Amino acid sequence: MTVTTADNTARAKGLTALANPTRFLALVRFVIWPLALATALAFAVGLWMSFSVPDDYQQGRTVRIMFVHVPSVWMAMGAYIVMVSGALGVLVWRHPLADVAARSAAPFGAAFTFLGLVTGSLWGEPMWGTWWVWDARLTSFLVLLIIYLGLIALWSAIEEPARSARLAAIVVLVGAINIPIIKFSVDWFTTLHQTASVVRMDGPALAPEFLYPLLVMALAFLLLFVTLHLAAMRNEILRRQIRTLQRKAARSARGGAA
Amino acid sequence: MTTLFGTKYFFYIAASYGITAAVLLSSIVFVILTHRRHRLRLRKLEESGLRRGGAKS
Amino acid sequence: MIALLKRDIRLALRSGGGAATALLFYLAVVIAMPFAVGPNPELLATIGPATLWVGALLAGLLGLDRLFQADSEDGTLDQMLLSPVALPAQVFVKSLAHWLVTGLPLTLMVPVFAVFLALDGTAVAATMATLLAGTPAISFIGAVGAAVTVTLPRGGLLLSVLVLPLCIPVLIFGVGAVRGAMTEPDPFLPPFLLVAAISLFFAVIGPFAAALALRQSS
Amino acid sequence: MKLVADDIAVMRGEELVFSGISFAVENGGALVIRGENGAGKSTLLRALAGLLPLESGKIEIQNVEPEFGEAKVPELCHYLGAENAMKAAMSVGENLSFWQDFAGQPHHKIDEALELVGLAGLGDLPFGHLSTGQRRRISIARLLVSYRPIWLLDEPTSGLDAESARQFAGLMEAHLADDGIVAAATHIPLGLAAAEEFELTGVAE
C-alpha cells in the first residue's frame, strides 16, 4: 500500500481514499512520529527565539506572553474551523470520518480557548489591575469556550455515534452562524463600556524581531494541534470499534436472533 | 536573559508559560493514555469477539 | 397548522402546561433582585431592565425542553414527521406557540414588575419594546436546542448550555437598547433594531435547523 | 393501488435489523407481520411509513387511483404506533378534533368514530382518565376521523379485551371492503378473514 507522503496539513477528512478507517489508522501510524518530532523542534526553536528577543519598549516584559496567547487564540479558532468542515462533511458529503474529525477537535479547541483566556488575563493584569476585564476579545472567547463545552457535552450525551454526529453537526453550524453575531454584539458591548485602557490584544504593528518568534510559535501550536488531532481521531476510531465489538459480544451472549 | 527573572513581570510570564505547558502536556499525556487503554481493551475483546476490521496497531 | 397552534396554546395554559411555571419563575427572579440588592430606588432603576431581561431569558429556557419531548414521548412527534405539512413550518408554529405562552405574557407583565423595580415610564416602555422584539429569538433559538436534546433523558441542562451562548447577543442588545432609552448619550434605535433583526433571522434559521435535528431522532 | 416493498433493508443505529424483505399488498388486502420481538416488526412498519431511512431497496405505491394525485407514501398512510399520540391534559373530543384538523381529509365525525369504537359519549372526558384499553380504542378512533387508504398498525390490539379486539377486526374488515390496505405487526391473531402472513426472521447471525 503506497502511502503518498501526505504533508502534515493534508487532513484525512477531505480524501475519500481515506474514507475507511483501516487505511486512515495506517496513515496515522505512519505520519504521527515525524509530526511529533516536527512539533518538538518547532517548540524548541520558538521558545528559544521568544526568550532571546529584547524587551518591548511599550509593554515591557509581558509582551512575551503574546507568544503564547496569540497562537492559542488562533488555534482556538482553527479548531472551530475544523469542526465546521467536519460538520459539513457529515451533513453534506456523509463522509464517515467527518464526525470523528469534528468530535476529536472539540476538546483541543476548548483547551486552546481556555489557554487564550488565561494568558490574555495574565497579559492584561499588570495594565488593568484586575484579573478579568470585559474586553471584547476575552469576552467573545469566554462565549466560545461555553459553546465548546456545550458541544463536548452533546457529543458525549448521545450514545450512538451515527445520531450524535448529525445532531452535533447541526449545533456546530448554528454556532458558526452565531459567532459573527456574538463577536459583533460583544464588540458593541465593550466599546459602550469603555474600560480604562483598552489593551490591544494583537499588539501594535509588530516589529519584525517580534513577528518571527510569534510565527514560529504559531507553527509549533499548529503542528501540535495536527498531531494531537490525528492521534485523537485514531483514539475515537478505536473507541468505536471497541463499542461495536462489545455490542456484538452482548448480542452473541443473548443467543442472537434466530 | 538573566535580567528577566528580577522584574516584577516575571510572575506573569512564568505563570502564562507554565499554564500553557501544563495544559498542552496534559493533553498529550491524555491522548497517549487513552490510546494505550483502547488498544488494551481492543486486544482483550479480540480474543473473545470477532475482529471488526481496523489495522493491527 | 392553525390547529397545531391552538392545541399547543391550549395545552400550555392547562394546569400541567409550562406557561404558569414560567410566569411564576419570572416573578421569583424579579422579586428576589431587590432583596439581594437593597431597596434604594436609583440602584434598582439601573438594574431593573437587566433583571427583567435575564428573568425573561431564563424563564424562556425553562419551558423549552418540554417543547418536543412531550410530543416525542406520547407518539405525537411521529405523526408530525409523517404529516404532509413541512416540518420547519410546524416547528415555527410550535415555537410561536411557546413564545405566545411565555415570551409575550412576560412582556405584558413588565408594568406590574416596574413598580417593584422603581422603573419610570421610559424604562418600562423601552423594556417592553425590547422584550417584545427579543423574546421570540429565545423561543426560535431554543427550538433548535429542544430538537437536538429531544431524545436525551436529562436534555434540559444540555439545552441551556447549548442555547445560552447563542442568546447572548439578544441579551446584550436588548438591555443596551433600554439603557439607550434611559441615559441620553447612548442610542436606543440601533440596538433595538438589531434585536428585532436577530429575532427575524432566527425565525428562519431556527425552524430549519430544528426540523433537521428532529428528523435525526425518529 | 398496491403497496410494494422491494428488497428493503433497514439499519437501526449501527445494527442491520433486516434485509432483502420484499412483499406487496393489493387493495382490500391485509398483511400480518409476525416474528418474535426484536425481529424488527416495528422497525419494518416505521420504515414503511417513512419514519426510518432505508439502507437499500425501495418502498412505493404502484398504480395509485387518480383521486390521490401524486401523494407520497407517508401522506397515504395512517401510522398507529405503540404510543397513542394523544394529550392526557386534553379531552377525548379535543384530541380527536385536533387530529382531524391536522391530518385533513375528514372521514367519520368525532361522535361517529367514538360510536364505532364503542366509547360513545366519552367526548368531553379528559384523555388522562381513560383506562389503557380505552386509550387504545381512542387512538384507533383517530384512524377513523380522517381518511388514509393504508393503515400501518403496530400491535394495534395491545391492551384490548376480546370484545374490543373483535370490534376492531370489524373496523379493519370495513376498511378493507372499502379498498383499503392494512399492514399490522402483531403476534395476537387479529381475526381477519383473508390475511397474508409474513414471517420476519431478523438478521441471520
Side-chain angles (χ1 to χ4, degrees):
Chain A
M1 172 190 67
T2 59
V3 175
T4 54
T5 53
D7 62 40
N8 52 41
T9 49
R11 282 298 153 64
K13 281 191 313 318
L15 310 177
T16 44
L18 293 171
N20 69 53
T22 42
R23 193 166 302 150
F24 175 76
L25 287 179
L27 172 84
V28 170
R29 205 155 25 81
F30 181 80
V31 162
I32 201 86
W33 289 112
L35 259 178
L37 212 64
T39 313
L41 198 67
F43 264 109
V45 170
L47 286 174
W48 180 77
M49 284 173 78
S50 65
F51 276 107
S52 64
V53 85
D55 300 341
D56 172 61
Y57 46 87
Q58 269 169 345
Q59 297 182 342
R61 264 203 220 24
T62 55
V63 76
R64 293 191 199 297
I65 299 180
M66 171 182 67
F67 296 139
V68 179
H69 172 73
V70 173
S72 311
V73 161
W74 285 348
M75 281 328 297
M77 292 187 274
Y80 204 89
I81 293 169
V82 167
M83 289 194 344
V84 167
S85 43
L88 291 176
V90 167
L91 291 177
V92 174
W93 303 299
R94 294 208 181 291
H95 190 290
L97 282 182
D99 177 60
V100 172
R103 180 173 182 149
S104 32
F108 302 118
F112 282 122
T113 317
F114 171 73
L115 277 182
L117 282 174
V118 167
T119 51
S121 137
L122 275 170
W123 187 3
E125 208 278 343
M127 252 66 74
W128 298 327
T130 66
W131 286 106
W132 177 260
V133 160
W134 289 97
D135 159 81
R137 283 174 64 93
L138 288 184
T139 318
S140 36
F141 273 90
L142 181 62
V143 175
L144 183 63
L145 183 61
I146 302 172
I147 293 179
Y148 268 123
L149 296 180
L151 276 168
I152 294 172
L154 176 64
W155 257 309
S156 46
I158 298 171
E159 187 31 45
E160 244 174 77
R163 215 147 52 72
S164 71
R166 284 193 292 277
L167 288 176
I170 295 170
V171 176
V172 164
L173 292 180
V174 169
I177 298 171
N178 255 286
I179 285 179
I181 303 176
I182 292 173
K183 189 82 184 75
F184 177 67
S185 64
V186 164
D187 288 347
W188 182 83
F189 169 73
T190 45
T191 46
L192 205 61
H193 305 267
Q194 195 55 37
T195 49
S197 76
V198 175
V199 174
R200 283 200 40 70
M201 269 302 155
D202 35 30
L206 280 179
E209 79 266 39
F210 286 101
L211 196 57
Y212 297 141
L214 182 60
L215 291 183
V216 173
M217 283 301 276
L219 178 66
F221 270 64
L222 175 67
L223 285 173
L224 179 66
F225 174 71
V226 167
T227 322
L228 288 178
H229 187 216
L230 287 180
M233 283 176 78
R234 177 171 58 180
N235 289 348
E236 177 62 17
I237 291 174
L238 293 183
R239 185 186 71 84
R240 291 183 186 193
Q241 284 176 353
I242 292 171
R243 189 172 165 281
T244 321
L245 282 185
Q246 280 164 344
R247 289 163 67 97
K248 201 181 280 281
R251 230 196 348 275
S252 52
R254 274 203 312 271
Chain B
M1 278 289 280
T2 51
T3 58
L4 181 66
F5 298 102
T7 62
K8 70 178 173 59
Y9 293 130
F10 167 71
F11 165 71
Y12 300 107
I13 297 171
S16 48
Y17 276 77
I19 292 171
T20 309
V23 169
L24 296 187
L25 287 177
S26 51
S27 319
I28 296 171
V29 166
F30 173 75
V31 164
I32 295 174
L33 284 187
T34 42
H35 179 60
R36 287 240 161 72
R37 194 158 40 87
H38 286 323
R39 261 210 340 235
L40 202 67
R41 286 212 336 248
L42 213 53
R43 198 161 298 129
K44 217 164 3 83
L45 279 166
E46 267 164 39
E47 281 97 30
S48 55
L50 186 67
R51 182 87 175 100
R52 182 199 163 275
K56 284 271 165 309
S57 30
Chain C
M1 275 278 271
I2 310 301
L4 186 62
L5 188 66
K6 282 210 304 271
R7 185 203 64 169
D8 255 37
I9 294 171
R10 198 181 306 142
L11 257 181
L13 298 181
R14 282 283 156 76
S15 58
T21 39
L23 282 176
L24 287 180
F25 175 82
Y26 191 57
L27 185 66
V29 168
V30 173
I31 302 294
M33 196 50 85
F35 289 117
V37 166
N40 95 54
E42 296 86 29
L43 188 58
L44 277 182
T46 44
I47 60 153
T51 320
L52 294 172
W53 255 99
V54 169
L57 179 62
L58 297 179
L61 285 182
L62 197 65
L64 270 173
D65 67 334
R66 290 302 292 168
L67 188 64
F68 295 117
Q69 214 151 34
D71 293 336
S72 158
E73 275 153 10
D74 63 27
T76 315
L77 185 59
D78 286 344
Q79 303 304 332
M80 285 170 66
L81 291 171
L82 287 176
S83 135
V85 176
L87 193 54
Q90 293 182 51
V91 171
F92 178 83
V93 162
K94 275 193 81 75
S95 313
L96 198 64
H98 174 264
W99 177 68
L100 287 173
V101 159
T102 45
L104 193 58
L106 298 188
T107 314
L108 301 180
M109 299 272 281
V110 163
V112 174
F113 294 138
V115 171
F116 298 117
L117 297 169
L119 296 181
D120 59 20
T122 46
V124 168
T127 311
M128 287 184 76
T130 50
L131 277 176
L132 202 61
T135 40
I138 298 171
S139 297
F140 288 123
I141 300 174
V144 181
V148 166
T149 58
V150 69
T151 48
L152 303 182
R154 297 172 318 289
L157 188 65
L158 189 59
L159 169 84
S160 319
V161 173
L162 291 177
V163 167
L164 203 61
L166 309 182
C167 290
I168 283 178
V170 179
L171 190 63
I172 290 177
F173 288 126
V175 182
V178 176
R179 194 176 310 106
M182 286 157 61
T183 52
E184 243 344 281
D186 303 339
F188 167 76
L189 210 54
F192 173 70
L193 294 179
L194 280 169
V195 167
I198 292 178
S199 283
L200 292 175
F201 179 71
F202 279 106
V204 174
I205 301 280
F208 276 104
L212 195 59
L214 284 177
R215 287 246 178 264
Q216 308 308 335
S217 53
S218 61
Chain D
M1 161 151 11
K2 200 162 94 171
L3 171 64
V4 175
D6 171 14
D7 181 22
I8 54 175
V10 172
M11 296 268 280
R12 201 66 197 274
E14 300 102 27
E15 277 146 20
L16 184 66
V17 182
F18 54 74
S19 62
I21 303 289
S22 305
F23 57 78
V25 193
E26 291 276 342
N27 270 8
L31 179 75
V32 176
I33 300 167
R34 292 226 183 290
E36 334 108 5
N37 32 32
K41 297 197 299 293
S42 319
T43 315
L44 173 58
L45 274 179
R46 289 178 75 91
L48 279 175
L51 284 171
L52 283 178
L54 290 180
E55 204 55 27
S56 67
K58 62 183 179 353
I59 292 171
E60 59 183 3
I61 309 268
Q62 287 164 357
N63 37 57
V64 184
E65 284 79 359
E67 83 245 26
F68 295 117
E70 53 329 299
K72 297 198 302 299
V73 176
E75 287 146 38
L76 296 171
C77 296
H78 259 321
Y79 171 71
L80 177 66
E83 301 300 327
N84 294 323
M86 296 286 171
K87 294 295 180 189
M90 282 159 61
S91 80
V92 168
E94 280 165 343
N95 269 302
L96 286 176
S97 64
F98 164 70
W99 282 118
Q100 190 164 53
D101 303 343
F102 187 72
Q105 278 99 29
H107 189 35
H108 293 286
K109 279 196 287 304
I110 308 289
D111 308 334
E112 255 173 57
L114 286 176
E115 267 279 321
L116 286 167
V117 289
L119 293 172
L122 294 189
D124 26 12
L125 204 64
F127 185 75
H129 294 176
L130 301 182
S131 72
T132 33
Q134 287 166 326
R135 291 183 191 204
R136 199 58 179 163
R137 282 147 76 183
I138 296 298
S139 68
I140 291 169
R142 179 174 64 82
L143 308 182
L144 304 173
V145 292
S146 37
Y147 181 71
R148 290 288 193 275
I150 301 172
W151 285 5
L152 302 173
L153 312 171
D154 192 353
E155 303 294 348
T157 52
S158 72
L160 292 188
D161 51 40
E163 173 41 28
S164 12
R166 224 183 351 276
Q167 195 181 41
F168 179 50
L171 291 175
M172 281 198 284
E173 294 289 1
H175 180 68
L176 293 175
D178 179 13
D179 270 350
I181 292 178
V182 167
T186 178
H187 23 73
I188 317 159
L190 289 180
L192 282 179
E196 264 168 78
E197 297 273 325
F198 186 87
E199 188 66 25
L200 246 187
T201 54
V203 176
E205 196 42 34

